[in-house]
Structure formats: C-alpha cells, structure tokens
Amino acid sequence: MPSDSLVVAKGLTKRFGDFVAVDNIDFEVRSGEAFGFLGPNGAGKSSTMRIIGATSPASDGFIEVLGLDPEFHGSEIRQRLGVVPQEDNLDPELPVDANLIIYGRYFGLSRSLIKERIEELLAFAQLSDRAKDKVDSLSGGMKRRLTIARSLINQPDLLLLDEPTTGLDPQARHLLWDRLYRLKQDGVTLIITTHYMDEAEQLCDRLVVMDGGKIVAEGSPAALIQKHSPREVVEVRFPVGVQEGVVNRLEDLGSRIEALPDRVLLYTDDGDRAAEEIHKRGLFPETILTRRSTLEDVFLKLTGRTLVD
Amino acid sequence: MTTLPLRVVPRRFNFGRSGRIVERNLLVYRHLWGVLISGFFEPVFYLFSITVGFGALVGDITMPNGQVVSYAAFAAPALLAASAMNGPVFESFGIFFKLKYMRTYEGILATPLTPRDIAIGEITWSQMRGALYATAFVVVMWAMGLILSPWGLLAIPAAMLTGFAFGAVGMAATTYMRSWQDFDLIFVVTLPMFLFSATFYPLEIYPDWLQIVARFSPLYQSVDLLRGLVLGVIDWSMLGHIAFLVAMLISGLIMAGRRVEKLLVT
Ligand SMILES: Nc1ncnc2c1ncn2[C@@H]1O[C@H](COP(=O)(O)OP(=O)(O)O)[C@@H](O)[C@H]1O
Ligand SMILES: [Mg+2]
C-alpha cells in the first residue's frame, strides 16, 4: 500500500439483504486530494461513504481508512474524520453553539480548546450572530454550513462530504464551494459525493463515476471528458412532436447522437459547423445551443442515462 | 504512518466516552428546573397520602419477625422502589423519540462514540436523575420518621441499583418498540408488578401461587431489599435480591448496546 493513501478499497461490497448497493468496487484516495464519487440517486455513494466513515460495516472486500480496519478500529478512525452526512443530523435540542461544543466533547476535546475553535468555526459558517439560536430556526443553507463547521471541530485529516450542496440555492452553493476550496488549500483531504457534474468538475481532482453500485469510469474530470466525449455538444430542441421525425437526419452531423425525451444531443469537435448544417438542411429547431462537453455527457455515454432526472 | 500503536490498543470499555452523553443531556436540561422540583414533590405527595390516608385506615402492620410498624413505614420503602422503577420507564419515551424521530444518535455515531457508549450514557444519565429522586425521597422519609434503622441510609444506593436495573432492561425493551402504542405493553408489565410485589401488603396475605409469582417479580426484589434496610431487618436473602438486580442490570446493558447497534449501524 502506498503510504500516502488515506483510503484503500478493493472489491468493496455492501449488501442490504439480497440487494447489492455497492458492488465490488476498487478505489484509492490519496493524501491532500479532493476525491469525488459522481453518480445518480441510488448509485451507492452514501453507502460507500458510510463504510469509509466507519459507521456501516462492509459486507465484503477490503477497506482500510487511515491505515486502519474500520471493523476493529472504528473509534480511532472516526476520531480523525470529519463527516457531513447527506441529511443534516444536528442536535435539535441544542442551540447552534452548543451543537459545536458537545460535538467537540464527543471527540474528547477540552472545553478551552473547543472555545478557541468555535469562534472561528462560527465565522467560517457565517453564523456568528446566530450562535444562541435554535437549530430549527436556521435555513437549509445555514444548517448545511453549521454541519460542515461541526465536522471541522476536531481538525480532521479526512473530510467526508455526502452531497454537500444538494437542495441549496446557487448562491449558497458557491459560498460552500468557496469554503471547501479553502479547506483543501489548508491540506485537508476531501471525499465528496455529488450528482451535480459542475460540482464534481469544480471541486474534484480525481473522481469515480458510479452507477448501480459499480464504478464505471475514473480519472480527473478533464481526462474523463477528453477520453469519453468529443469536445463540444450541440443541444437541439424541436417543437413538440417533431423530434422523432427528424432525428435520423441529424445522425451524420456528429460522432455520436443522443435523443433525450426533450432534446437531441450531438457530439462533435466543431459545434458551430454542425449547427450551421442543421439550418442548411431546413430543420428549423426551436432552440440550438453549442456548449463544451461535461461530465454529464460522459455519464450519459457510459450509462445511457442522465445524472439528474 | 503512526498507526501501529493504535492497532495494539485493545478495544475496551471507555467510561469517559459514555460520560459525554451525560454531558449532552446536562446541556439540554440546563434550564429544566421543573424536573428537579417535581423530583422533590413526588415523594412528598406519595408519602403524605399514605401517612394521612391509608395509614389512618389500615393501622399498624405486624412483620413476619414480630416487629410492629406503622403502615406508612411499611409502604414507604415500596413506594421508593416503585418510583425507582418508574423513572426509567418515563425516560424510555425520550430515548424512543431519539432513536426513532431524531437523527441525533446518527450524528453522535460519526464521532468516536459507539452504540454501547450511547446506551450506557443514556442509562447513566437517567440514573443520575434517579439518584437525586431517591435521595430526596429518603430525606423526606427520614423527616417524616419513616426510617427506622441506620441501615436505611443504604436505601439510596439500593434504589439507584433498582433504577439502573430497570433502566438497562427498559432501554433494551425500548429498542423493540415500533410505535407509541407499543408502550402500552410496558404498562401491562409494570402495573401488575407495582400492585403485586408486596408493595401495599405483606407477601403472606397473597394466595400461595401469587406468592410464588411475586417472589420472581423484579420489583419485589427491590421492595423487599429496601424495606429490610429501612426497617432494619437484615438477612441473607438481601444478597439474593441484589444479585437478581445486578443480573438484570448487566444483561440489560449488553442487550441495549447490541440492539442500539443493530438499529443504528446498518
Ligand atoms: N439501510 C438500507 N437498507 C436497505 N437498502 C438501502 C439502505 N441504504 C441504502 N439502500 C439502498 O441502496 C441503494 C444505494 O443507496 P445509496 O448508497 O444511498 O445511494 P446514493 O447515495 O448514491 O443515492 C439504494 O437503492 C438504496 O435504496
Ligand atoms: Mg446518497
């Protein structure tokens, strides 16, 4: 095992009864990187995260976190982790600051040390003026930021973020991304799950694409796109009922074509030329848009499905 | 990596960690003085009712050893035992709520704490309140002249043991509850136990078969133990009662830890 790997998984499998949620996956997370699990709902991302977080036993396979086996060293592993679960589980019976205090105590930190850290964490979460408020009075974005602040109370070596920005408005998302960049710069290793391809592209140095419990691709976002998709995509929308009749007349315009229920995607290295050609053929789409290929396109190619439905 | 020392540290019971659950509950209850005040008035009301009410009607009781005591002195230790049993029963509602409707425990389990730490911590917390209640109860009994022997002081730890035993078994039972309705089952068990554990009259008054059943009632162990201590009738059977309660405590704790793990670690 290379000594700079914080997580190593081989043949990792998680079953719930007969159902296989995580199906024989291999991955490795290196120190200092931001590692992503990209996949749609039900792909098995959270199940994998909970195994890494030493709160859910693997059914099969090998897993080592911080050089330790979660089955036998759960407490020691969790001592050095920060965890942001998919659904916030703040303590509703305690106000904002006490949520941080008691969490620090769960990690065995002294009260004076916690006191030192809290002010900074509240500022980080932009909640300094809400310190005494009930958790239930916070907005979704505030709760999310508090959960992230809480996960940092023990200054973790490894931070697990399960869909950190799902359900947030764009402004709150960008604010969170900014916070996560800063953490990365401070040397914290991040593991992030998401079903947003822009989030994966923005935050992750390296990622695996998951679907149906399996890993279908891995690499850096740029490398994945380059490998699996031409540079550009032309998105063509036709008036209702027209698409079926004309799809076959677009097929030769790109190296690949995807007919989605509401639009046609044409993959090509020269989008503008393809768009021009569509007009020349007198097909009159409602809208036509040329853009760069994204991880969404990679996912579509690998699985035949979209990430967010 | 510096992981080798961690590998050789054995997994062991760590009381400090479950103490943090107690700390959490202290933070939550910081302002709930009502709990403490009710803890004081509950015994006052109970004892007052048996002294002026039943006591006046029933008169004195002759114990198997010939000792004659007032009805209040006879019933007071049994009420202390029953109160030590009922405390955890009410506590279990809160634990059920946390297990079922709040994700608090889930958040706690992402830290070094384990399901067993949570189980032990919750039971300990409930028994810290139990100890306060028991102390208040014994002080009020003493003030009313119902403690007839210096052994009576040991009624406080004995009541605490009772609370721990019922708390541990109660927590284990709570993990099997599916809905609030299931809690009726708890009362189906505790109410007859309350009525037929030599609580209000000596065991010798019951028909033979009920005497035999009552002797195996967990509450009877505590009633007989506390009554012996308060009235100063000390004998070897008390060790049997203590062993019974300790066995309840240990098996309850093991069961509760396992069940919480089963529910929360999937
Ligand atoms: N505790 C559980 N019991 C049974 N099935 C579960 C449990 N947790 C997750 N699953 C199932 O496993 C699959 C993967 O879930 P999850 O890991 O949450 O996926 P993701 O986080 O990628 O959406 C889903 O089909 C889900 O229904
Ligand atoms: Mg998930």
Side-chain angles (χ1 to χ4, degrees):
Chain A
M1 181 193 104
S3 65
D4 66 343
S5 284
L6 295 193
V7 183
V8 180
K10 292 199 183 84
L12 188 64
T13 299
K14 179 72 188 183
R15 281 184 291 267
F16 297 105
D18 290 337
F19 181 77
V20 184
V22 177
D23 193 358
N24 194 14
I25 65 172
D26 300 348
F27 61 89
E28 215 168 285
V29 181
R30 297 173 201 139
S31 181
E33 76 176 340
F35 185 88
F37 289 93
L38 176 68
N41 277 332
K45 305 182 297 294
S46 296
S47 303
T48 307
M49 286 295 250
R50 296 199 304 128
I51 296 172
I52 300 172
T55 54
S56 165
S59 310
D60 236 318
F62 173 86
I63 172 91
E64 211 170 57
V65 183
L66 304 168
L68 297 167
D69 180 347
E71 191 182 340
F72 301 107
H73 300 277
S75 287
E76 291 103 305
I77 290 171
R78 294 194 297 272
Q79 181 74 42
R80 293 166 59 196
L81 295 187
V83 177
V84 177
Q86 181 168 353
E87 281 177 60
D88 291 324
N89 53 25
L90 297 162
D91 195 328
E93 294 188 291
L94 293 171
V96 169
D97 61 347
N99 258 278
L100 296 176
I101 293 170
I102 196 62
Y103 222 66
R105 294 294 297 149
Y106 295 149
F107 283 95
L109 307 180
S110 73
R111 284 180 171 273
S112 54
L113 183 61
I114 293 170
K115 223 173 159 189
E116 275 170 35
R117 289 185 187 169
I118 271 187
E119 214 168 301
E120 198 188 320
L121 286 174
L122 284 173
F124 172 88
Q126 301 190 314
L127 287 170
S128 302
D129 53 336
R130 305 294 297 262
K132 298 289 170 202
D133 289 4
K134 291 198 110 174
V135 163
D136 283 335
S137 73
L138 300 182
S139 73
M142 290 173 179
K143 280 186 189 159
R144 213 63 190 136
R145 297 203 303 267
L146 179 57
T147 304
I148 294 180
R150 186 185 72 169
S151 73
L152 299 173
I153 190 88
N154 59 328
Q155 299 192 330
D157 298 329
L158 175 60
L159 187 58
L160 308 180
L161 300 135
D162 196 353
E163 306 212 5
T165 67
T166 297
L168 298 188
D169 58 59
Q171 219 175 339
R173 287 180 78 196
H174 283 280
L175 185 69
L176 265 183
W177 286 353
D178 175 60
R179 298 285 180 262
L180 296 179
Y181 281 133
R182 279 167 45 187
L183 286 173
K184 210 185 131 200
Q185 252 148 31
D186 292 343
V188 181
T189 306
L190 306 177
I191 303 182
I192 301 159
T193 80
T194 181
H195 59 248
Y196 295 123
M197 55 90 192
D198 51 343
E199 186 158 275
E201 285 189 38
Q202 292 268 344
L203 293 178
C204 300
D205 301 316
R206 230 155 46 83
L207 58 93
V208 293
V209 180
M210 271 187 99
D211 187 43
K214 293 193 168 69
I215 290 178
V216 291
E218 75 172 287
S220 71
L224 278 169
I225 294 167
Q226 202 185 4
K227 179 168 172 205
H228 295 284
S229 187
R231 225 181 51 222
E232 294 188 327
V233 188
V234 186
E235 296 202 9
V236 196
R237 270 175 220 267
F238 289 98
V240 180
V242 175
Q243 181 174 313
E244 293 72 21
V246 298
V247 168
N248 56 351
R249 296 178 57 195
L250 299 174
E251 266 162 12
D252 60 316
L253 294 179
S255 55
R256 197 160 66 84
I257 185 165
E258 287 282 352
L260 301 179
D262 61 333
R263 62 194 194 275
V264 180
L265 305 183
L266 265 177
Y267 292 88
T268 166
D269 281 325
D270 189 346
D272 288 338
R273 212 190 58 79
E276 234 169 77
E277 184 62 27
I278 291 172
H279 283 299
K280 270 196 205 150
R281 292 185 184 181
L283 293 175
F284 303 112
E286 214 161 53
T287 61
I288 189 161
L289 169 93
T290 303
R291 60 168 175 79
R292 276 189 323 113
S293 276
T294 65
L295 286 172
E296 178 86 48
D297 302 301
V298 173
F299 187 79
L300 188 61
K301 178 181 173 209
L302 293 172
T303 69
R305 296 187 296 116
T306 49
L307 269 169
V308 190
D309 35 32
Chain B
M1 254 190 251
T2 57
T3 51
L4 200 63
L6 289 177
R7 278 183 185 283
V8 291
V9 174
R11 275 208 296 176
R12 68 193 147 83
F13 173 61
N14 183 336
F15 185 78
R17 288 199 314 230
S18 42
R20 291 168 204 151
I21 297 292
V22 173
E23 260 184 80
R24 174 203 172 264
N25 290 333
L26 273 172
L27 274 175
V28 172
Y29 286 89
R30 193 154 47 173
H31 307 297
L32 293 187
W33 287 106
V35 175
L36 295 182
I37 291 170
S38 81
F40 174 74
F41 279 105
E42 187 188 304
V44 173
F45 290 148
Y46 266 132
L47 293 171
F48 193 69
S49 101
I50 53 165
T51 313
V52 302
F54 290 112
L57 287 172
V58 177
D60 292 346
I61 302 266
T62 306
M63 300 299 291
N65 67 349
Q67 189 183 11
V68 176
V69 298
S70 73
Y71 183 71
F74 174 81
L79 289 176
L80 172 55
S83 139
M85 169 182 83
N86 283 327
V89 170
F90 287 109
E91 209 71 46
S92 65
F93 286 94
I95 292 172
F96 177 74
F97 190 73
K98 276 189 259 184
L99 273 174
K100 194 103 179 168
Y101 299 106
M102 287 173 28
R103 311 184 74 101
T104 312
Y105 288 150
E106 195 186 286
I108 294 174
L109 288 176
T111 73
L113 273 68
T114 63
R116 200 160 53 150
D117 296 328
I118 292 180
I120 293 172
E122 288 289 5
I123 293 162
T124 305
W125 160 249
S126 116
Q127 282 328 296
M128 285 170 62
R129 285 169 61 179
L132 260 156
Y133 276 39
T135 308
F137 212 116
V138 169
V139 168
V140 176
M141 277 170 75
W142 172 77
M144 294 171 82
L146 301 174
I147 304 275
L148 305 186
S149 150
W151 287 98
L153 204 59
L154 290 180
I156 295 175
M160 284 170 60
L161 173 62
T162 306
F164 256 113
F166 278 96
V169 171
M171 174 138 191
T174 304
T175 62
Y176 285 100
M177 303 290 158
R178 289 152 305 175
S179 68
W180 296 110
Q181 277 77 41
D182 285 350
F183 276 89
D184 290 342
L185 288 173
I186 289 197
F187 293 106
V188 168
V189 175
T190 56
L191 186 65
M193 209 153 43
F194 175 57
L195 294 173
F196 300 112
S197 293
T199 326
F200 296 107
Y201 14 83
L203 204 57
E204 290 70 28
I205 291 179
Y206 297 147
D208 285 348
W209 66 270
L210 192 55
Q211 281 194 36
I212 295 168
V213 174
R215 273 183 201 285
F216 288 98
S217 140
L219 183 59
Y220 171 75
Q221 319 300 320
S222 171
V223 168
D224 205 50
L225 176 64
L226 288 169
R227 185 171 283 145
L229 290 170
V230 166
L231 301 183
V233 187
I234 307 302
D235 65 50
W236 292 110
S237 70
M238 287 177 164
L239 288 182
H241 298 328
I242 291 171
F244 189 111
L245 293 170
V246 168
M248 250 176 98
L249 167 60
I250 292 173
S251 50
L253 273 185
I254 292 172
M255 187 85 153
R258 279 204 197 133
R259 285 287 304 166
V260 172
E261 176 152 359
K262 189 152 184 209
L263 284 183
L264 297 178
V265 180
T266 53

